Amino acid sequence: MARKYETKGKQLVSRVIPVENFDLVIFGGTGDLARRKILPGLFRRFRSGQMPDDARIIGAARSDLDSKGYRAEIKSALEEFVSSKYRPEDAVDGFLERIEYVAIDAMGDGGWKELKSLMRDGVVKAFYFSVAPSLFGPLAERLHDFKIADRDSRIVVEKPFGRDLESARALNKTLRDSFEEDQIYRIDHYLGKETVQNLMAVRFGNMLFEPLWNSKYVDHVQITVAEEVGVDGRGAYYDRSGAMRDMVQNHLMQLLCLIAMEPPSRFDPDAVRDEKLKVIRALDPVASRDIVRGQYTSSKKGEGYLEQVENPDSQTESFIAMKLHISNWRWSGVPFFLRTGKRLKARQSEISIIFKDTPHSIFGDDSGGSQNVLAIRLQPNEGITLSVTIKEPGPGGMRLVDVPLDMTFADALGPDAEDVPDAYERLIMDVIRGNQTLFMRGDEVEAAWAWTDPLIEGWASKGDRPSPYDVGSTGPEEAAILLHRDGRRWREIRS
Ligand code: NAP
């Protein structure tokens, strides 16, 4: 089932529309992602009445558990990750009744027959691969060989999808040996965020913005994904990846595509993904002077990157800022500035479209006011703000000020705000509905790696060293200079 919003007075109210009945198998059902995101998300959909009555969730992992033991684990995960206000006991009990467990080793042959016997005909069969990427291939093969999956089944694949073009191609091939492309759902949870989808609604559902969405009216675009956390506990994985592989190749690239793409003819999976792919293919190679790599160093706010990873001389970047150009008619000459990093001043993700100055100020150059900015906030407080210039109220001549037209979703949705699906639950429901629009297609992922690979290889061959920045700062000084050089500046990261 999905949720539809309608306006009632000043507030949006929701109503529910059904999804099909399903069996969802979560491989890695005992892992961190399943406990923290997938199962709490499914619980919220169940509690909101969006799950069909006899939908089933089957956890699978190597741990020697039975369904009763697994339910107890899920109960404790819900207690940890869903606030008690939204966790009524009867809803938890009802949800747990839908849960089963099968012990399976993705690399072995035990447990598959039992899984097969649990799966029902006539319902959507979905398989979530919430396991290490090295297990994606073995799982796909066994689902196929044991005839557990059929032509209508879907598999959901977590990031990272490869670590370069070659490995992504090999993974695509392995998955496509057992499944068709329209059965493969490569998840990028940024695409499931309410605001990201709203970005498309704002662009293509209003007459106001699209006519201005080009080099004639847009001065530049900024995408910031700032994290307060460091590599904490993920040091081994992160040190092999860095910000470019972990964030830019997937999340930031996806956001860039949604902002820059041409209007698709329909909001359907291939129409949208064709347009996104064209953006990646139109990206210019980036000059080394237009990239800043950084690594956090200890400050009074916490310990540095090198204290948290094994290699004391690691050159992996925990921060990256870059200036990109898209070679097409719409965006010729418009810089796109991307920035992401760990252990920054605050957690803040935002896409900002900064419009050009008016061609001539009739009020005089010192009358105040500045460029219009459309800011799309992904976190915290998802929402959209448009800053417009108005007259400062009161006497004293024509003084101009910028005021925000603010649509914070939590305010607009009122009591329904807590019930807005988070990215994971929305995307899982899309899998059940068979809607791939918000999932990455294989060729998109490969195109993004084809663009990323030469940059990473260039740093390695030159022995490029990341610039240091203090824990709790806004990143290396060179990142600020990257914009100052053009007479621009980053939007503030607010703590
Ligand atoms: P995790 O906490 O290490 O969990 C791994 C899961 O896989 C466990 O349930 C483990 O259970 C199971 N498993 C391991 N080897 C197995 C095998 N041979 N056969 C069957 N099951 C096996 O990892 P995670 O953090 O949940 O991450 C899962 C996937 O999501 C990874 O691809 C990760 O990159 C991706 N991801 C995670 C996050 C996150 O926030 N955690 C975010 C984005 C993407 P047993 O040991 O009982 O088998």
Side-chain angles (χ1 to χ4, degrees):
M1 295 177 214
R3 182 158 283 235
K4 284 262 182 244
Y5 285 94
E6 292 159 352
T7 44
K8 208 179 201 181
K10 281 190 171 172
Q11 283 209 328
L12 295 173
V13 290
S14 63
R15 69 188 166 80
V16 153
I17 50 172
V19 288
E20 286 172 73
N21 201 2
F22 63 85
D23 282 350
L24 169 66
V25 180
I26 306 172
F27 292 106
T30 55
D32 173 67
L33 186 67
R35 287 173 48 82
R36 217 158 36 82
K37 289 285 180 188
I38 303 173
L39 284 150
L42 286 163
F43 169 70
R44 280 191 292 269
R45 291 310 91 213
F46 171 77
R47 195 205 58 218
S48 310
Q50 296 192 321
M51 210 180 270
D53 282 345
D54 55 350
R56 268 193 330 190
I57 298 158
I58 302 165
R62 290 168 308 179
S63 300
D64 186 18
L65 290 168
D66 56 12
S67 291
K68 195 170 162 223
Y70 184 58
R71 284 183 204 123
E73 285 216 354
I74 299 316
K75 190 171 183 195
S76 78
L78 296 182
E79 282 162 7
E80 197 176 345
F81 298 111
V82 182
S83 69
S84 56
K85 184 176 162 201
Y86 295 100
R87 196 174 13 92
E89 218 168 287
D90 54 338
V92 173
D93 291 345
F95 180 67
L96 293 177
E97 275 170 28
R98 275 145 194 83
I99 292 187
E100 309 279 345
Y101 180 82
V102 186
I104 284 187
D105 184 342
M107 306 295 283
D109 288 337
W112 295 97
K113 287 197 179 122
E114 198 189 340
L115 176 62
K116 187 175 164 123
S117 70
L118 271 179
M119 307 293 295
R120 298 169 294 173
D121 289 330
V123 299
V124 172
K125 294 185 191 126
F127 303 91
Y128 198 126
F129 294 3
S130 182
V131 291
S134 57
L135 300 178
F136 294 170
L139 282 177
E141 271 166 32
R142 282 166 177 75
L143 286 173
H144 179 261
D145 294 350
F146 284 92
K147 299 193 171 41
I148 296 171
D150 54 34
R151 179 61 186 90
D152 290 330
S153 302
R154 290 131 211 195
I155 57 169
V156 184
V157 190
E158 261 300 334
K159 89 169 207 191
F161 198 89
R163 55 174 281 109
D164 53 22
L165 177 58
E166 195 186 339
S167 55
R169 270 192 186 140
L171 186 50
N172 271 334
K173 182 176 176 322
T174 306
L175 297 181
R176 287 181 192 138
D177 283 345
S178 303
F179 292 90
E180 300 293 329
E181 179 62 36
D182 64 10
Q183 298 178 277
I184 306 171
Y185 290 69
R186 296 174 194 79
I187 216 160
D188 184 323
H189 70 275
Y190 272 63
L191 295 184
K193 286 183 184 287
E194 183 71 15
T195 355
V196 172
Q197 292 166 59
N198 240 308
L199 165 64
M200 286 185 276
V202 165
R203 270 194 75 183
F204 304 126
N206 294 288
M207 197 53 218
L208 272 180
F209 297 106
E210 192 51 26
L212 307 179
W213 213 263
N214 57 54
S215 60
K216 191 162 176 204
Y217 300 103
V218 173
D219 179 76
H220 72 283
V221 175
Q222 295 187 17
I223 304 176
T224 293
V225 177
E227 295 180 284
E228 230 178 327
V229 295
V231 293
D232 320 302
R234 288 175 70 223
Y237 156 76
Y238 193 89
D239 202 39
R240 292 187 62 241
S241 303
M244 187 68 162
R245 285 193 174 98
D246 191 50
M247 296 298 290
V248 178
Q249 186 272 345
N250 38 60
H251 306 314
L252 275 80
M253 197 53 60
Q254 289 294 318
L255 298 180
L256 173 80
C257 287
L258 294 179
I259 297 165
M261 70 182 182
E262 295 300 313
S265 54
R266 293 171 310 283
F267 190 60
D268 90 8
D270 277 329
V272 171
R273 296 183 301 177
D274 286 348
E275 295 307 335
K276 282 162 57 194
L277 181 61
K278 284 184 208 161
V279 174
I280 303 176
R281 290 189 172 151
L283 280 174
D284 281 352
V286 196
S288 54
R289 71 188 293 267
D290 288 339
I291 303 191
V292 176
R293 296 170 69 232
Q295 192 182 74
Y296 58 87
T297 50
S298 62
S299 76
K300 58 179 187 298
K301 299 229 167 112
E303 61 181 10
Y305 183 83
L306 294 180
E307 281 88 71
Q308 298 181 328
V309 297
E310 251 175 46
N311 177 2
D313 190 36
S314 170
Q315 304 301 319
T316 302
E317 78 284 351
S318 59
F319 176 97
I320 199 157
M322 52 173 66
K323 174 176 159 184
L324 306 183
H325 282 284
I326 300 170
S327 274
N328 62 21
W329 277 38
R330 182 186 286 266
W331 295 117
S332 178
V334 179
F336 284 72
F337 295 100
L338 272 51
R339 161 176 72 158
T340 181
K342 290 193 173 295
R343 290 307 261 139
L344 294 176
K345 190 175 164 193
R347 172 174 170 259
Q348 182 178 312
S349 300
E350 190 185 77
I351 303 167
S352 308
I353 320 295
I354 294 98
F355 290 93
K356 290 190 170 166
D357 285 323
T358 52
H360 165 70
S361 170
I362 65 167
F363 307 110
D365 288 342
D366 56 357
S367 55
S370 55
Q371 293 159 303
N372 298 125
V373 178
L374 180 70
I376 298 139
R377 261 189 335 271
L378 275 60
Q379 59 195 18
N381 307 327
E382 284 194 63
I384 296 180
T385 308
L386 175 66
S387 82
V388 291
T389 300
I390 61 162
K391 180 189 169 297
E392 197 175 281
M398 196 54 125
R399 297 280 316 152
L400 304 181
V401 283
D402 297 326
V403 293
L405 297 183
D406 197 347
M407 190 180 137
T408 301
F409 297 147
D411 297 343
L413 295 175
D416 266 349
E418 271 272 351
D419 248 4
V420 176
D422 97 340
Y424 275 96
E425 46 195 286
R426 184 192 317 275
L427 292 172
I428 296 170
M429 289 298 134
D430 275 0
V431 174
I432 306 302
R433 276 186 222 110
N435 185 347
Q436 286 185 305
T437 310
L438 299 174
F439 295 82
M440 296 178 293
R441 207 168 54 191
D443 52 1
E444 262 185 89
V445 178
E446 289 182 18
W449 280 122
W451 178 81
T452 316
D453 274 2
L455 296 171
I456 297 176
E457 282 158 16
W459 302 330
S461 68
K462 278 189 251 149
D464 187 81
R465 300 184 84 83
S467 307
Y469 63 94
D470 283 351
V471 168
S473 69
T474 56
E477 207 188 338
E478 290 88 334
I481 295 170
L482 181 70
L483 270 78
H484 283 172
R485 238 172 38 198
D486 286 3
R488 299 180 171 102
R489 60 192 163 86
W490 289 106
R491 283 173 54 83
E492 202 187 338
I493 297 178
R494 289 172 299 272
S495 50

